[in-house]
Amino acid sequence: MAFWWSILVLAFAFAICKFLLLLIPPKVPSIDVDASDVLEVGNQSQENNFIYVPPRGTAQQSGKKVQCYEPATMKYLGFLPALAPDEVKERIEKVRKAQKMWAKTSFKQRRQFLRILLKYIIKHQALICEISSRDTGKTMVDASLGEIMTTCEKINWLLSEGEKCLKPEYRSSGRSMLHKRARVEFHPLGVIGAIVSWNYPFHNIFNPMLAAVFSGNGIVIKISEHASWSGCFYFRIIQSALAAIGAPEDLVEVITGFGETGEALVSSVDKVIFVGSPGVGKMIMKNASETLIPVTLELGGKDAFIVCEDVDVDHVAQIAVRAVLQSGGQNCAGAERFYVHRNIYPSFVSKVTKIIKSVTAGPPLAGKYDMGALCMHEHSEKLLGLVNDALDKGAEIVARGSFGHIGEDAVDQYFPPTVIVNVNHSMKLMQEEAFGPIMPIMKFSSDEEVIKLANDSKYGLSCAVFSGSQSHAREIASHIHCGVAAVNDFASNYMCQSLPFGGVKHSGFGRFGGVEGLRACCLVKSVVEDRWWPFIKTKIPKPIQYPVAENGFEFQESLVEALYGLSIWDRLQALVNVLKMLTEQNSTGGNKKEK
């Protein structure tokens, strides 16, 4: 008894000491990042501070300069170079040289890099969100939810579990290789190329960068021409953190430009990660096939938001509106099709209508607005076309939000949050990705019907299912053909960075996040070696040594049955035959030697 009491006391003391150690913060240096040229006050003194009118159509996507402006106010922010293919390849080569040095670093050093970034992000949340807001039109709250929290969670998960995911993983060696030790090793691929979208400019840079760098790679990130101004500032944060740990300065590179810039990147790296539209994703796959490099695609979505009859309508209505309006309605993995059980359809529509009517859109840094501007110029025309097509086919608008004080030149960058009923799948609004603040609501009567409706889409990114019975919601979600499913919640999956994230069908393939996303940045190598070397080694049995004996195939048959036969008695009998043939072969071989 005294022995076990001593063990218990020691275990308790160990737990207390471990807890006390957790209270001691790690020593993490601070970094300074010059933000004087991107702050609102500093920018107002620039000579090019004027209202910008972007060119329309294909002229937007060409030229030697990437023009930057605030979509909420149309205030001009300046320009960045559109890199030519040879310039892109020069930068990739610099990253490749830096990566060879970085691949030799320890996980301890890589974790310190993450801690430095985390410390800066937490201390400068307002600055990061303001820059994202100015470049994309989203509100500060949306920037915090979509940019800050997701990135901090990614860093925290890598700090906690990243090294464990990348250490060699031992596997069973099987019956025929019991004398062997089998493992999987994870080695850096080299240089990762990422082409990211504009909707989350901070997180879309940090998400692939964190995974690539922590797994020992270098990375070149081609940021969207619609959010290049903010992306170049966020790059400074990464550069400062790398310098603070003495890492190669060229390990991470951010490039700007249009289509040819992205094409040059795809043709020169060791893996491509792309976040964007299905059309561009297909082009990237085609280009990547020339060099046979792996590709991860996170493309469009037309996600189903399913509301069963036994829910708390007030609660789910609030979540539904948040799902539509996050990031100014230009969301990632956001709900675009709402299916509500007919028994609660009137009350649900009434609730969301009331909420939407209270929503005000306006310049996010100029007042307290619930929704900001659309990021992409001319996107409002696409949204209007989808709405008009639905109205022509019998749909009805039952609610719209209002505008706050916005300039005349910026009206085109806003689209009022809109609730539409009487929709069906013949309408483009229910089939094409809108990427805007539109809530089309459709009735359903049974689980079978709503599952069929939800799967009637070329997309398959995510879904959200709500029911008073968790098992009921789980059952419906299990039948939706998509890569991400939330039960009685929306978009919570992405805040669990231990989980993989990605879709199927036209929503792409491959995964971010979790073990799957981290290891996707690696060369996965299988290794087998002798378990008890040099005492036991693989030796080719006599009957199948060259020249192969007459009973060579008979020996193989018995060996297979001895190893894998379903009956223990059949296996024992086969083993006896194997031993008998080995004995006879050795005896024959010995007699020949005597002669």
Side-chain angles (χ1 to χ4, degrees), residues 384-411:
L384 185 61
L386 293 175
V387 170
N388 286 339
D389 175 75
L391 296 178
D392 290 343
K393 294 175 180 176
E396 178 187 354
I397 295 176
V398 293
R400 302 199 97 164
S402 59
F403 291 134
H405 179 69
I406 57 177
E408 292 181 5
D409 295 316
V411 173

Side-chain angles (χ1 to χ4, degrees), residues 326-528:
Q326 66 171 3
S327 291
Q330 300 179 118
N331 43 50
C332 177
E336 290 217 356
R337 297 181 295 163
F338 292 79
Y339 301 103
V340 180
H341 195 280
R342 64 173 55 254
N343 290 346
I344 61 165
Y345 185 85
S347 60
F348 182 83
V349 171
S350 175
K351 293 291 183 184
V352 297
T353 294
K354 184 178 180 181
I355 298 170
I356 288 291
K357 285 182 177 179
S358 70
V359 172
T360 305
L365 299 178
K368 188 179 179 301
Y369 294 110
D370 305 295
M371 197 186 89
L374 301 177
C375 181
M376 289 194 299
H377 191 58
E378 299 182 11
H379 189 61
S380 59
E381 295 176 9
K382 176 186 175 181
L383 298 180
L384 185 61
L386 293 175
V387 170
N388 286 339
D389 175 75
L391 296 178
D392 290 343
K393 294 175 180 176
E396 178 187 354
I397 295 176
V398 293
R400 302 199 97 164
S402 59
F403 291 134
H405 179 69
I406 57 177
E408 292 181 5
D409 295 316
V411 173
D412 189 54
Q413 297 295 108
Y414 290 87
F415 194 89
T418 304
V419 180
I420 301 182
V421 297
N422 299 331
V423 295
N424 59 62
H425 279 212
S426 70
M427 301 171 183
K428 293 179 181 179
L429 182 60
M430 297 298 282
Q431 295 294 338
E432 297 180 12
E433 185 179 35
F435 231 77
I438 304 173
M439 178 184 285
I441 309 176
M442 187 172 177
K443 300 176 187 175
F444 73 90
S445 301
S446 66
D447 291 356
E448 294 75 15
E449 181 186 9
V450 77
I451 290 169
K452 184 177 180 180
L453 288 169
N455 286 329
D456 179 25
S457 173
K458 62 183 178 181
Y459 296 105
L461 186 54
S462 66
C463 72
V465 184
F466 293 81
S467 171
S469 165
Q470 187 162 319
S471 60
H472 181 209
R474 186 189 308 127
E475 175 65 17
I476 293 175
S478 69
H479 288 88
I480 308 301
H481 190 43
C482 62
V484 179
V487 174
N488 282 328
D489 208 339
F490 169 76
S492 54
N493 309 65
Y494 203 73
M495 287 305 296
C496 301
Q497 280 291 321
S498 63
L499 293 175
F501 180 86
V504 295
K505 299 191 283 188
H506 281 221
S507 292
F509 56 83
R511 295 294 182 263
F512 302 133
V515 178
E516 295 82 358
L518 191 57
R519 291 179 176 176
C521 294
C522 298
L523 164 63
V524 181
K525 182 182 290 185
S526 299
V527 180
V528 176

Side-chain angles (χ1 to χ4, degrees), residues 241-262:
L242 288 172
I245 61 167
E249 62 179 359
D250 294 323
L251 184 65
V252 178
E253 185 64 76
V254 167
I255 60 176
T256 53
F258 302 104
E260 69 169 6
T261 306

